[in-house]
Amino acid sequence: MDTPAIPLPRDPRERAILDQLSMIRDQLLLLKQDRTNYIRTQDVMPLFDRTMDQVKELNIVRAETGNKGENRLDKVLESCFQLLSLFYLTIGRNNEAPATYALTSTIKRLLDHLVEADLYSAKDLGSIKSTLEGLTHSIQHGSKEQVPEKKPPPYVITLLFNRVELCQATLAKLQKRLERVPESLLSTHQKLVSILRAVALANTKSKFSTSEVKKLRQQIVEIGDRYNGGKFTAEDGTVVPGSEEVRELYQRCLKWSDLVLERKGVVADQWRPIYDVLVGIRNDLEKLSLTQAWSLRETDLYDFQRQLDKIDESRQNGNWLDDRARPADLWTQRTLLYLIRRSYGYIYSFMLASEPVSEALLPIYNQLQTLKRCLVEVKKSGGVSSVRELYPYSMKLNSLDNMKVDGKFVVNGDIPEGQGSVSELLAECFDLNYDLRVAAEEANEAGSPEADGEVDGETKAEEKAE
């Protein structure tokens, strides 16, 4: 899409479809950039339907011509699918099949990088495995959807199934390799992976800390010392099957920490521009991770993905070339790849954390999430000594409940997606608040008669307020 190296379609009918998809993509981008209004289901679905019409037409054309080669049309179509998938997350339709497209793109990137880096732990694979199982369930549910307007076309279901299966095949290969690590050394293997990543993080901080990296290196040495000086054999010196995997990782950790200490975070001038871009993306995503629930619109992830994809795909034989066609040195290559993988990891976590609630309802949902956390903490700490302490929570819950019109939360005349999730959370908060009030009343009733009278008065006042 961004480079002339990707040819235009030769078939005039494909060119016409390209023109239509380009207009749809531009409209999606404009909708994404509009911060003055909430994104609504009725804004997204017509664009989804128009995209599906073009895909249907494309399938007919290619069935006739037999063309399977990729051209610019495929790139623009991929952008449309990616954007629409993120829009589905934004409007709260997370559990529907089209929403899985963007997540499968990120998972594939992560898996490909794990294969390339040959550096991962059982924990990494466990998360991806459970996510893929959830995506499979969503796609299967979509294929059996009874509501016509919610049922995706068969070719979309097939596309999504194929993407998930591709990810699962790569995951299976990674799991098979990890099986070679003996169970007795799995925790050690995971610890070494964790330390190596900590060294990579220290390597990309704005101010390099030699002492921090030296401490991490010392942890690596200490692990080796516990296993016969890094040989990872049994106590009697015999070789444990699979221990060579851990031994290689141990040696790799030592060499990487030495290389990091040698370079001290100094980036060569020819690689500084790409390094600064990647550090900027990583830092922006890191900041978003602190305020995600309140500030992230899922469609924002598209721009980050596109920048990362472009940089990642600019490599040749796994490495970057400078203006004079010279490959990056080992430290630069690994540092840039770490930044890319770290950023993809953030995007993956954001998509997983996305709530099945429309952007318009998120402010209410987030307030309820905060209220629930507060009430749970109050309950954990022993409850309240007086019903009066629950007044702020009761008033807030009632003010949110009073926003409903005929049992629905209405925003600007619309009934946004995610009503069930918000109502369920509101009910949980009311239940927690009620349990705390009952416990406080019972505790006071067991006390002095004066206390009983005080509680009765407070309870009546609260009931009147409600």
Side-chain angles (χ1 to χ4, degrees), residues 51-216:
T51 303
M52 294 305 104
D53 290 341
Q54 295 306 312
V55 172
K56 184 178 180 180
E57 184 67 25
L58 178 62
N59 286 339
I60 293 171
V61 171
R62 289 191 170 172
E64 293 175 2
T65 62
N67 176 30
K68 294 182 180 179
E70 189 175 86
N71 56 47
R72 206 172 303 180
L73 167 57
D74 298 277
K75 287 294 183 183
V76 174
L77 178 59
E78 197 271 338
S79 292
C80 290
F81 274 130
Q82 193 79 6
L83 280 162
L84 286 166
S85 180
L86 292 170
F87 272 112
Y88 262 71
L89 296 178
T90 305
I91 61 176
R93 298 174 74 159
N94 303 43
N95 299 322
E96 295 184 29
T100 65
Y101 189 94
L103 192 48
T104 55
S105 296
T106 303
I107 290 174
K108 185 173 187 310
R109 290 277 178 182
L110 287 172
L111 289 171
D112 288 344
H113 276 289
L114 290 180
V115 171
E116 180 184 30
D118 198 14
L119 178 70
Y120 53 92
S121 65
K123 189 176 178 182
D124 297 326
L125 302 188
S127 170
I128 293 176
K129 182 185 178 190
S130 62
T131 301
L132 287 173
E133 288 171 353
L135 295 180
T136 301
H137 175 76
S138 294
I139 299 168
Q140 288 174 339
H141 180 75
S143 66
K144 299 172 184 175
E145 178 62 64
Q146 299 300 313
V147 182
E149 59 267 23
K150 285 193 173 185
K151 185 169 185 177
Y155 44 80
V156 172
I157 294 293
T158 302
L159 169 70
L160 296 172
F161 266 129
N162 289 342
R163 289 169 69 82
V164 170
E165 286 176 3
L166 187 63
C167 291
Q168 287 174 329
T170 306
L171 178 64
K173 292 177 184 176
L174 290 166
Q175 287 175 316
K176 190 171 183 180
R177 184 192 177 283
L178 200 61
E179 287 171 4
R180 298 205 297 265
V181 178
E183 192 172 339
S184 59
L185 291 175
L186 267 178
S187 60
T188 301
H189 182 274
Q190 187 159 311
K191 180 66 176 175
L192 286 170
V193 170
S194 178
I195 294 173
L196 192 72
R197 288 174 177 167
V199 172
L201 174 61
N203 180 47
T204 55
K205 287 184 177 178
S206 57
K207 188 175 181 181
F208 184 82
S209 173
T210 301
S211 60
E212 182 182 357
V213 178
K214 282 184 176 179
K215 285 178 184 177
L216 291 167

